[in-house]
Amino acid sequence: MRELLKIMKERALLELENTNKLEELEQLRIKFLGKKGELTQVLRGMGSLSSEERPIVGQVANEVRVLIENGIEKVKEKLKEESKNIKLNAEILDISMPGTQIEKGHRHPLIGVMEELENIFMSMGFSIVQGPEVETVYNNFDALNSPENHPSRDPSDTFYITDDILLRTHTSPVQIRTMKENKPPLRIVSAGRTFRFDDVDDTHSPMFHQLEGLVVDKNITMANLKHTIDMFIRELFGSQMKTRFRPHYFPFTEPSAEVDVSCLKCMGKGCEACNGTGWSMELLGCGMVHPNVLRNCGIDPEIYSGFAFGLGVDRIAMVKYGINNIRLLFENDMRFLNQF
Ligand code: 2NL
């Protein structure tokens, strides 16, 4: 029996030496030391031993068990250490390696133009104000002296959320909010997204961008308006640019005017782009703030007067970059955007 135990021990140690997986190790333990394992089998035969031999064989059997157990423990530690090293080597981090290049983008051409316009007005002493794109009908139409039956109020022209709430059709409600909350003198510019129920074509989009300016103080006249617009246009397009003020009608200004500037292609000489007139049409609308609008905002028109103007940022961007289709500004095709 001792011989049996010795052979079993040697086989166990040999198998242990050839084990290189943790799962195999557990199978090995079950095979030799488990309830139905080989050691148990051998010990079953102890009943036939003499009473002198039994304790000696029992001791040997115990030694074999401890030997195999220790062997398993040792190999287990070795395998764990190995797999840890393999993992560590795989996860090695070289902090001196160059990082993944992130492609740098740039401002959208439209936002670039909007900021350029804002910067010009800031250099002239205007503050930039902002307001919500979802507005009240009162701020968007009523306060601006828009007649009850004006076509722009129709649900076929304006995106209504409820009877009293809409998507702003111009940035003027931002000026209304500012006038209601602040006392003159005011010199403000607001720019942002505006919405009209338009069908899309080369020059129209239901979402477009406006920039509006407003000045309210004592003794503000049409001369201040004209000078401010002239300075702005020359700052934007160059000192040779001429402006032309044509009488126009807006409900919120009186008198009102539309402003044409020299044709950018021929600088006023006349070419096919301007139909030989030398003028680039309708770049800007303006006028003296209607007394009703001032009154609606709690400003006394007997003491204060003001001028206001508005322009389409998309149109300025298109003129500036020679873009002939407004859709290009909103499709975000990288082949288009990367040109700016
Ligand atoms: C255009 C014309 C304009 C205004 C906007 C305005 C705002 C207030 C009071 C009076 Cl709060 N006027 N804004 C005035 C004249 C023209 O815009 O063609 N925009 C694209």
Side-chain angles (χ1 to χ4, degrees):
M1 237 179 134
R2 280 206 220 169
E3 197 56 27
L4 265 175
L5 284 170
K6 189 172 167 237
I7 293 170
M8 193 196 81
K9 180 189 84 184
E10 266 152 25
R11 251 192 321 114
L13 292 181
L14 190 73
E15 281 192 34
L16 208 53
E17 224 173 276
N18 291 328
T19 304
N20 48 24
K21 284 204 187 96
L22 280 166
E23 310 88 76
E24 283 175 14
L25 216 51
E26 176 60 11
Q27 272 160 20
L28 203 128
R29 193 189 63 77
I30 294 166
K31 182 174 164 193
F32 288 101
L33 307 177
K35 264 191 190 139
K36 292 176 185 163
E38 291 191 21
L39 187 66
T40 319
Q41 301 287 2
V42 174
L43 292 178
R44 285 243 168 86
M46 290 233 317
S48 61
L49 292 177
S50 67
S51 53
E52 294 89 53
E53 264 196 310
R54 212 175 289 154
I56 299 168
V57 171
Q59 200 189 339
V60 173
N62 218 28
E63 280 167 15
V64 169
R65 170 191 297 282
V66 171
L67 204 76
I68 296 177
E69 272 173 359
N70 287 348
I72 288 178
E73 242 359 86
K74 246 165 89 186
V75 174
K76 198 187 251 176
E77 284 309 309
K78 191 187 86 183
L79 290 180
K80 272 190 182 162
E81 185 69 18
E82 272 173 18
S83 80
K84 192 176 87 185
N85 284 339
I86 289 171
K87 226 173 140 190
L88 280 177
N89 280 333
E91 284 175 4
I92 213 157
L93 177 66
D94 180 357
I95 57 166
S96 68
M97 235 159 69
T100 316
Q101 281 284 328
I102 295 170
E103 219 182 298
K104 255 192 222 153
H106 58 78
R107 265 184 191 68
H108 191 283
L110 188 69
I111 302 302
V113 167
M114 199 142 92
E115 286 181 1
E116 186 183 350
L117 303 180
E118 286 177 342
N119 285 340
I120 294 174
F121 284 111
M122 279 201 279
S123 77
M124 295 165 83
F126 285 79
S127 305
I128 311 297
V129 289
Q130 280 176 327
E133 290 170 3
V134 178
E135 261 295 358
T136 61
V137 170
Y138 181 82
N139 284 344
N140 193 85
F141 288 129
D142 301 323
L144 282 153
N145 200 40
S146 157
E148 210 55 62
N149 60 352
H150 197 275
S152 67
R153 286 184 181 250
D154 198 273
S156 64
D157 279 1
T158 295
F159 294 105
Y160 283 88
I161 309 251
T162 68
D163 284 350
D164 309 316
I165 308 285
L166 45 65
L167 295 186
R168 69 182 183 191
T169 61
H170 38 203
T171 47
S172 321
V174 185
Q175 336 279 61
I176 295 294
R177 285 168 180 270
T178 311
M179 280 194 282
K180 285 201 286 193
E181 285 159 20
N182 300 277
K183 284 197 167 71
L186 295 171
R187 246 190 296 181
I188 55 170
V189 160
S190 67
R193 290 202 281 191
T194 49
F195 308 86
R196 287 182 198 176
F197 213 133
D198 276 333
D199 286 327
V200 179
D201 65 26
D202 286 358
T203 56
H204 292 85
S205 157
M207 191 278 294
F208 57 104
H209 297 77
Q210 253 200 350
L211 180 144
E212 281 203 23
L214 172 80
V215 172
V216 183
D217 202 350
K218 289 172 180 159
N219 305 316
I220 297 294
T221 69
M222 194 94 183
N224 301 126
L225 166 60
K226 224 170 157 278
H227 178 72
T228 304
I229 300 296
D230 281 351
M231 293 298 287
F232 162 68
I233 292 295
R234 295 204 185 110
E235 197 62 34
L236 182 63
F237 292 122
S239 55
Q240 322 87 308
M241 291 300 278
K242 289 196 167 65
T243 54
R244 178 171 78 172
F245 289 68
R246 272 183 296 104
H248 195 73
Y249 169 79
F250 297 113
F252 27 83
T253 44
E254 179 60 35
S256 308
E258 271 193 334
V259 183
D260 306 328
V261 306
S262 310
C263 171
L264 284 143
K265 234 183 178 163
C266 60
M267 290 313 273
K269 285 190 200 76
C271 66
E272 73 284 1
C274 57
N275 287 324
T277 63
W279 294 101
S280 199
M281 304 286 280
E282 292 168 34
L283 226 52
L284 202 144
C286 61
M288 301 306 292
V289 179
H290 197 289
N292 287 349
V293 176
L294 292 175
R295 223 173 272 126
N296 289 339
C297 299
I299 295 171
D300 186 349
E302 299 296 330
I303 302 173
Y304 292 103
S305 56
F307 67 80
F309 52 88
L311 54 84
V313 181
D314 316 86
R315 184 152 149 66
I316 301 266
M318 289 168 75
V319 169
K320 177 176 160 125
Y321 291 121
I323 300 164
N324 55 14
N325 188 332
I326 194 170
R327 277 169 281 216
L328 288 166
L329 287 176
F330 305 131
E331 279 171 350
N332 287 333
D333 186 329
M334 295 297 274
R335 291 169 301 180
F336 170 76
L337 293 179
N338 282 338
Q339 296 175 59
F340 302 96

